[in-house]
Amino acid sequence: MADPTLRRLILAVALAVVPCLPAMAANDAPQKTAEALSRKALTDDWSYKFLESLTSEIGPRLGGTEAEWRAADWAVARLKAAGMTVHTESFPMTAWLRGVETAAIVKPAPQRLVLTALGGSVATPPGGIEAEAVIFRTYGDLLAVPPGSLNGKIAVVTERMVRTVDGMGYGLANPIRRQGASEAARRGAIAYLHRSLGTDNHRLAHAGALNYTDGVPKIPAAALAGPDADQLERLSALGPVIVHVTLTPTTDDSAHSITVVGEIKGREKPDEVVLIGAHLDSWDLGTGAIDDGAGDAIVSGVGRLIAALPQHPKRTVRIVLFGAEEMDFSDKAYETAHVGEVSKIVVAGETDFGARRVYEMRLPAGAVNSPFGKMIAGLLPPLGVLLVPEAPRHGGSDIQDIGADGVPVVALSQNGLDYFDIHHTADDTFDKVDPAELAQNVSVWAALTYLVAETDVDFRALAKATAKP
Amino acid sequence: MADPTLRRLILAVALAVVPCLPAMAANDAPQKTAEALSRKALTDDWSYKFLESLTSEIGPRLGGTEAEWRAADWAVARLKAAGMTVHTESFPMTAWLRGVETAAIVKPAPQRLVLTALGGSVATPPGGIEAEAVIFRTYGDLLAVPPGSLNGKIAVVTERMVRTVDGMGYGLANPIRRQGASEAARRGAIAYLHRSLGTDNHRLAHAGALNYTDGVPKIPAAALAGPDADQLERLSALGPVIVHVTLTPTTDDSAHSITVVGEIKGREKPDEVVLIGAHLDSWDLGTGAIDDGAGDAIVSGVGRLIAALPQHPKRTVRIVLFGAEEMDFSDKAYETAHVGEVSKIVVAGETDFGARRVYEMRLPAGAVNSPFGKMIAGLLPPLGVLLVPEAPRHGGSDIQDIGADGVPVVALSQNGLDYFDIHHTADDTFDKVDPAELAQNVSVWAALTYLVAETDVDFRALAKATAKP
C-alpha cells in the first residue's frame, strides 16, 4: 500500500464502485434506486453461487421426495441469510417415482434404445412389454388411424419439435407428450413412445409429465432420445421392428411438497404484494440448473438485493420458490392456499425458462404507456431489453391459476434457442449456465420488482382504462 | 419432354455430368482418371448409405461379439456387391463384455453419477464398492502421492483433455485412461475413476480401453461424464465425499474377431499392394458412426469406385475393414497374419478420425517433391486439401505394427475439433455425419489410392534417397 499511484487508483475505483446506494434509496426517486440495484446485480455473483450450491449440495429434487424437502430446508436457510422473512407452505400430492427404464430393439437389429418414462406413466409388467412398433412420423398420423388399428402394438410418434427463441415449438408439440399415450391407447396400443420434446440430437431422453384421459386405458409411456427415434424410423422403413420396453415407476399417494416463501415486508402497504417466483423442484435426471434452479437463483437474488436496501419498499416483495411444478401441483396448490388474498397481489411474475439473457419485457395491458411504463423503459436500454407493447400471453405455469383469478402478470422473455437442448434431461447441470447471463436476469428482475414495489402503479386500473372503448 | 428449352437444358446437364470416365481411364494419364474419380466421389451418396445401413441394420458392434460377426457378414456382402474380391481373416481374442455400470454419490448429497466401465476393467463385487473419493485435479497430482496414501479409497482424476484440431489433446491425455487404474492401485486405491477423455459437457461417458500394469493389483475403473467429474470436484471441496460404484463386466478368453478384406487385383503387378483401411468394430454405447463406420464407408467407397473402372489399376488395391481395433487386437493380428508380405505393401493408410473434411495430406518422407507428389498436389486444391512437407507422425492404430515393420504410410488429416465431443459415447450415431463432408473424404482417398496403384511410385526408395546426406 506504499505506492501513491496504486493508492490513488484504489481510491478512484472505490469511488466509482460504491454508488452510495443507501443515500439514494432514502432520498432519490424510485427510478434511481432501481437503476442502482440493477447495476449492482450485474457484477454480483451471489445468484450464481446460490445455483452452484443448490445443484451440487442438493442436486436432483423431484417433487414430493426427500430430495425436494432437503432443497426446501436449504432454501429456507438461504433466504433467511439473505435478509428475508421466511416461511414454508406444505401441500399434499401424489409423488411419482422413477424405476427401471430400459428398452431395446429386438428385431431386426438388436440394440439398446435410450428412453425415459413420462412422469405419471404407469408401469409395464416387471419383465417388460415386447411388441411390434408402429411408427408415426407426425402426431397427426397417429390421430388419423381408427380405433383398434393398434391392437397389441407399441405406438411410436417420431415427430420433431421445432427450435424457436420463445418456446413456441415446445408449446405446440406438447400434446405429443401430454395426450399421446391416451390417444394411442384409444386405438388399441399397449405402450406409447415418442421422440423427446427437445431440439438436440444427443442420446439423452427428455422427461416430462403426461395426462391420461379419463375412461381410456392407461398404458406405459416414455420419451425416446432423438437419435433413437431416428433409428426406429430407419429400421421400420425396411420391415417390422420388434421393441422391448421395461418401465417400473411407482407412485405414493400420501406424499407432500413444500413451497418456500421469503418476504420483504412493505414499509407503507404491507398487504399489497409483488410476487416473483420460480420452482424449486426439478426433474430427477439432471440437477435442475436451467430448470429451474436458475429461476430460484434469480428471484432469490432479487429478494436479497431489495432486503439489503436501507429501507424496505412501500409494498411487500414476496419471493416464492414453488414445490412440485414439474408434477403439475404447484399452481393449483398456491391458488388454493391464497384464494382469499388474490386481490392483494399487485402483480405476479415467474422465471422458468433457463438462464439465458432477457431480451424483452412484457407488462400487463395498459402499463407500457403509463408513467410506470416510461420509468421502467428508461432503465432497460443498457440491459439490452426491449419493452414491447403486448401484454404477456401468460405468466408461467406456477402462477397460471392466480393469473386466471385476475392477478396481473409480467413476463421477461429470455433467449430460449438452446433451452430445449437441455430441458428435462440429465444434461441440465450447473456447467450449462453462464454467470454473466444469469446476472443480467437478476438485474432486470430487480429493477422491475423494486419499481412496482416502491411506486403506486395499479395494473388492474390501467388494464381497465385500456379496455374501455 | 415437349419443351425444347427444357430438352436443351437436360442435354447440357447430361453432357456436363457424364465425364466419360471409361474412355479416360483407358486412354488418359493416371492423373486424369484420379481427377475424374475424385469428382465422381463428391456427388456420390453410396458411402453415406453404406454408413446408414451399417449403423442401423447392425448398430453397435463390439469386437469379439456376435454383433461384430454380423457386421462382418454384412460387410462381405457389401464389398462383393461393390465389385471387389472378398475374404475374411479371423483371429482369436479375449472379448470384454460390459455389465451393469451404476454409480452414485452417497454422501453428502445423494445423486446418481454417470460413468462407463473402461474396456478391460475388472468387475467390482456384485454389490459394488463404497468408499471415500479422493479427487486429483490433474493426473500429475495422482502420480505425486506416495504408495499407501490411497489405501481403501476411490481415486478420481478430473483433469480435462484439451480440444485440438488434430487430436493431440487426446493423445497426450491418454495415459489418464490407459495407466490411471494401475497408478492408483500402486498407491492403494480400490477403484479408479477419471473424467472422460472428451471435449463435450454432456452426461454421456466416453468408453475406451485401459492397460493394467503387470504386477500391480487390477482395480475396477470407469470414465465419468464431464459434468459428474465437475460435481465431484465441487462437493469434495466442501468435505468428504462417499461414492458407490458397481461395475460387472465379464470376459471371454475364447472369442474371435473377423477382419474383412476386399481387393481389386492389380492388372500388371498384382503382388504390389496399396492398402487402405478402417476398423469395423465399434464401442457398444453408440452405433459407431464416426468411430469408425465413417472410415469403413470411405475406404469401401474408394474400393467401389476403383473396381468400377474399365480396367483395374496396375497394383492391387486392398480395402481392409479391421476387427477388434477398440480392443487393441487389430494391428498385431494383421501384422502376424501378413508378416511375410510386408515388403509387398507399397503403402498403407487408415481413416479413423470421423467424417469431417480432410484439410491436409501427408505422404511418406521424400514423396512430396517427387513426380508423384507433384501429380497429387495438382488434384488437391479443388478439394480444399493442403499437401504438407512433413511425413505422417503415424499411420493409425490398425496399421501401426506393419508401419513399424517398414511399410510406408500416408495420412489425411481431418478436422477433429468436435470429434472428441462424440468419440466413444452413446452419441456416436449416424445423425452426426454430414454427407458432403463424408463424400469429400472419399474423394481425396480415391485420388490418392488410385494414383499410387496406377503409377510406379516407390515410397521406400524415395525415403531412402531423402535420408541420404
Side-chain angles (χ1 to χ4, degrees):
Chain A
M1 292 299 273
D3 176 357
T5 312
L6 182 64
R7 267 212 307 270
R8 273 199 301 274
L9 183 66
I10 289 170
L11 186 66
V13 168
L15 287 172
V17 164
V18 180
C20 300
L21 207 61
M24 282 206 296
N27 310 322
D28 292 13
Q31 197 175 11
K32 291 268 180 190
T33 305
E35 189 177 354
L37 277 176
S38 162
R39 270 203 213 136
K40 188 174 163 70
L42 286 178
T43 56
D44 184 1
D45 68 355
W46 187 88
S47 290
Y48 189 64
K49 287 182 171 169
F50 174 108
L51 180 59
E52 180 177 23
S53 174
L54 174 61
T55 55
S56 307
E57 294 170 56
I58 306 300
R61 44 197 185 280
L62 196 64
T65 69
E66 187 272 340
E68 192 198 31
W69 308 333
R70 277 193 290 121
D73 287 345
W74 175 95
V76 166
R78 292 274 158 159
L79 297 192
K80 278 185 183 166
M84 290 172 254
T85 306
V86 184
H87 72 274
T88 60
E89 303 179 4
S90 184
F91 55 89
M93 65 173 284
T94 299
W96 178 87
L97 305 163
R98 193 178 301 285
V100 170
E101 42 191 31
T102 58
I105 295 171
V106 178
K107 286 180 188 168
Q111 52 195 290
R112 183 177 70 113
L113 288 170
V114 174
L115 50 57
T116 194
L118 296 187
S121 173
V122 296
T124 64
I129 285 174
E130 190 166 309
E132 187 178 344
V134 181
I135 311 297
F136 298 96
R137 288 187 178 238
T138 73
Y139 185 52
D141 290 345
L142 166 65
L143 299 181
V145 302
S149 59
L150 298 177
N151 284 351
K153 307 291 172 101
I154 297 173
V156 183
V157 172
T158 59
E159 181 170 329
R160 287 165 195 270
M161 74 163 268
V162 177
R163 186 185 295 274
T164 64
V165 75
D166 62 355
M168 184 69 90
Y170 179 70
L172 293 177
N174 223 252
I176 298 172
R177 189 188 78 214
R178 290 280 181 180
Q179 275 89 50
S182 288
E183 293 298 340
R186 272 190 217 280
R187 291 159 176 84
I190 56 172
Y192 174 70
L193 307 177
H194 71 91
R195 183 193 295 269
S196 284
L197 301 191
T199 47
D200 61 298
N201 66 348
H202 297 299
R203 300 290 297 284
L204 296 168
H206 295 242
L210 58 63
N211 304 105
Y212 287 122
T213 305
D214 288 343
V216 177
K218 294 180 179 182
I219 61 173
L224 291 159
D228 299 78
D230 291 343
Q231 193 74 311
L232 288 174
E233 277 188 359
R234 280 190 293 263
L235 288 173
S236 70
L238 303 176
V241 175
I242 309 297
V243 168
H244 191 111
V245 182
T246 305
L247 308 171
T248 63
T250 55
T251 54
D252 175 4
D253 290 340
S254 63
H256 73 278
S257 178
I258 301 169
T259 286
V260 177
V261 184
E263 286 192 337
I264 300 113
K265 186 71 87 182
R267 72 173 192 276
E268 291 188 5
K269 303 170 182 173
D271 287 349
E272 296 188 10
V273 173
V274 181
L275 186 160
I276 60 172
H279 66 85
L280 188 57
D281 67 306
S282 80
W283 277 105
D284 53 336
L285 301 175
T287 60
I290 68 158
D291 186 15
D292 184 22
D296 300 319
I298 292 164
V299 298
S300 300
V302 170
R304 170 177 161 271
L305 287 171
I306 293 177
L309 289 170
Q311 63 176 12
H312 287 187
K314 292 177 180 173
R315 289 163 163 165
T316 291
V317 171
R318 181 180 295 170
I319 308 301
V320 187
L321 307 183
F322 294 92
E325 188 268 354
E326 299 294 5
M327 294 304 172
D328 298 337
F329 285 90
S330 60
D331 49 343
K332 179 52 73 186
Y334 196 81
E335 186 212 26
T336 303
H338 296 269
V339 67
E341 186 208 25
V342 158
S343 65
K344 295 181 179 166
I345 302 177
V346 174
V347 76
E350 175 183 341
T351 170
D352 183 17
F353 200 52
R356 292 281 183 217
R357 289 181 72 90
V358 174
Y359 64 88
E360 183 181 281
M361 178 181 286
R362 289 174 182 241
L363 298 176
V368 169
N369 295 317
S370 72
F372 177 84
K374 295 191 195 322
M375 211 185 303
I376 191 84
L379 300 175
L380 298 182
L383 299 172
V385 176
L386 201 65
L387 180 62
V388 298
E390 291 79 15
R393 281 193 291 269
H394 53 76
S397 57
D398 292 314
I399 58 174
Q400 62 191 354
D401 283 16
I402 60 171
D405 291 342
V407 173
V409 298
V410 291
L412 300 188
S413 307
Q414 293 169 270
N415 170 3
L417 269 180
D418 64 2
Y419 183 67
F420 293 101
D421 290 350
I422 296 167
H423 176 253
H424 291 192
T425 72
D427 249 356
D428 183 4
T429 48
F430 179 63
D431 52 287
K432 309 304 186 301
V433 174
D434 178 90
E437 296 202 53
L438 186 75
Q440 188 254 12
N441 276 266
V442 180
S443 175
V444 186
W445 277 108
L448 175 61
T449 305
Y450 177 78
L451 265 194
V452 179
E454 185 61 18
T455 63
D456 295 319
V457 59
D458 181 346
F459 291 116
R460 286 178 176 83
L462 289 170
K464 207 176 279 180
T466 307
K468 282 180 186 164
Chain B
M1 294 297 275
D3 177 355
T5 312
L6 182 63
R7 265 213 307 272
R8 274 199 300 274
L9 184 65
I10 289 170
L11 186 65
V13 168
L15 287 171
V17 164
V18 181
C20 300
L21 207 59
M24 282 205 294
N27 310 321
D28 292 13
Q31 197 175 11
K32 290 268 180 189
T33 304
E35 189 178 355
L37 276 175
S38 161
R39 271 205 211 133
K40 189 175 163 68
L42 286 177
T43 56
D44 183 0
D45 67 355
W46 188 88
S47 289
Y48 189 64
K49 287 183 170 167
F50 174 108
L51 181 59
E52 178 177 23
S53 175
L54 174 60
T55 55
S56 307
E57 294 170 57
I58 306 299
R61 43 197 186 280
L62 196 63
T65 70
E66 187 273 340
E68 192 198 32
W69 308 333
R70 278 193 290 122
D73 286 345
W74 174 97
V76 166
R78 292 274 158 159
L79 297 193
K80 278 185 183 166
M84 288 172 255
T85 305
V86 184
H87 72 275
T88 59
E89 302 179 4
S90 183
F91 56 88
M93 64 174 284
T94 298
W96 177 89
L97 305 163
R98 194 178 300 286
V100 171
E101 42 190 30
T102 58
I105 295 171
V106 178
K107 283 178 189 169
Q111 53 197 288
R112 184 178 69 112
L113 288 170
V114 175
L115 51 58
T116 195
L118 296 188
S121 173
V122 296
T124 64
I129 286 174
E130 190 167 308
E132 186 178 345
V134 181
I135 311 297
F136 298 96
R137 290 187 177 237
T138 73
Y139 185 53
D141 290 345
L142 166 65
L143 298 182
V145 302
S149 59
L150 298 177
N151 284 350
K153 307 290 171 103
I154 297 174
V156 184
V157 171
T158 60
E159 180 170 331
R160 288 166 195 270
M161 73 163 267
V162 176
R163 186 184 295 276
T164 63
V165 76
D166 62 355
M168 185 68 90
Y170 179 69
L172 294 177
N174 223 254
I176 298 172
R177 190 188 79 215
R178 290 280 180 179
Q179 275 88 52
S182 288
E183 293 297 340
R186 273 189 217 281
R187 291 158 177 83
I190 56 171
Y192 174 70
L193 307 177
H194 72 90
R195 182 193 296 268
S196 283
L197 301 191
T199 47
D200 61 298
N201 65 349
H202 298 298
R203 299 290 297 285
L204 295 168
H206 296 242
L210 58 63
N211 303 105
Y212 287 122
T213 305
D214 288 342
V216 177
K218 294 181 178 181
I219 61 173
L224 292 159
D228 300 78
D230 292 343
Q231 193 74 310
L232 287 174
E233 276 188 1
R234 281 189 293 262
L235 288 173
S236 69
L238 304 175
V241 175
I242 309 297
V243 168
H244 191 112
V245 182
T246 306
L247 308 171
T248 64
T250 54
T251 54
D252 175 4
D253 290 339
S254 63
H256 73 279
S257 177
I258 301 169
T259 286
V260 177
V261 183
E263 286 192 336
I264 300 113
K265 187 72 85 183
R267 73 173 191 276
E268 291 187 6
K269 303 170 182 171
D271 287 349
E272 295 188 9
V273 173
V274 181
L275 187 160
I276 61 172
H279 67 84
L280 188 57
D281 66 307
S282 80
W283 278 105
D284 53 336
L285 302 174
T287 61
I290 68 158
D291 186 15
D292 184 22
D296 300 320
I298 292 163
V299 297
S300 301
V302 170
R304 170 178 161 272
L305 288 171
I306 293 176
L309 289 170
Q311 63 175 12
H312 288 188
K314 291 178 182 173
R315 289 164 164 164
T316 291
V317 171
R318 180 181 296 170
I319 309 301
V320 186
L321 307 183
F322 294 92
E325 188 269 351
E326 299 294 5
M327 294 305 171
D328 298 335
F329 286 91
S330 60
D331 48 343
K332 179 53 73 187
Y334 196 80
E335 186 212 27
T336 303
H338 296 269
V339 68
E341 187 208 24
V342 158
S343 64
K344 295 181 180 166
I345 302 177
V346 174
V347 78
E350 175 182 342
T351 169
D352 184 17
F353 201 53
R356 293 282 183 216
R357 290 181 72 87
V358 174
Y359 64 87
E360 181 181 283
M361 178 180 286
R362 290 174 181 238
L363 299 176
V368 170
N369 294 318
S370 72
F372 177 84
K374 295 190 194 323
M375 212 186 303
I376 191 85
L379 300 174
L380 299 182
L383 299 172
V385 176
L386 200 65
L387 180 61
V388 299
E390 291 79 15
R393 278 193 290 270
H394 53 77
S397 57
D398 292 315
I399 58 173
Q400 62 191 355
D401 283 15
I402 58 170
D405 291 342
V407 172
V409 298
V410 291
L412 300 187
S413 307
Q414 293 170 270
N415 170 2
L417 269 178
D418 64 2
Y419 183 67
F420 292 101
D421 289 351
I422 296 168
H423 177 253
H424 291 192
T425 72
D427 249 356
D428 183 3
T429 49
F430 179 63
D431 52 287
K432 310 304 186 302
V433 174
D434 179 90
E437 297 201 53
L438 186 73
Q440 188 254 9
N441 277 267
V442 180
S443 176
V444 185
W445 277 107
L448 175 61
T449 305
Y450 176 79
L451 266 195
V452 179
E454 185 61 20
T455 63
D456 295 320
V457 59
D458 181 345
F459 292 117
R460 286 179 177 85
L462 289 170
K464 207 175 281 181
T466 306
K468 282 180 186 164

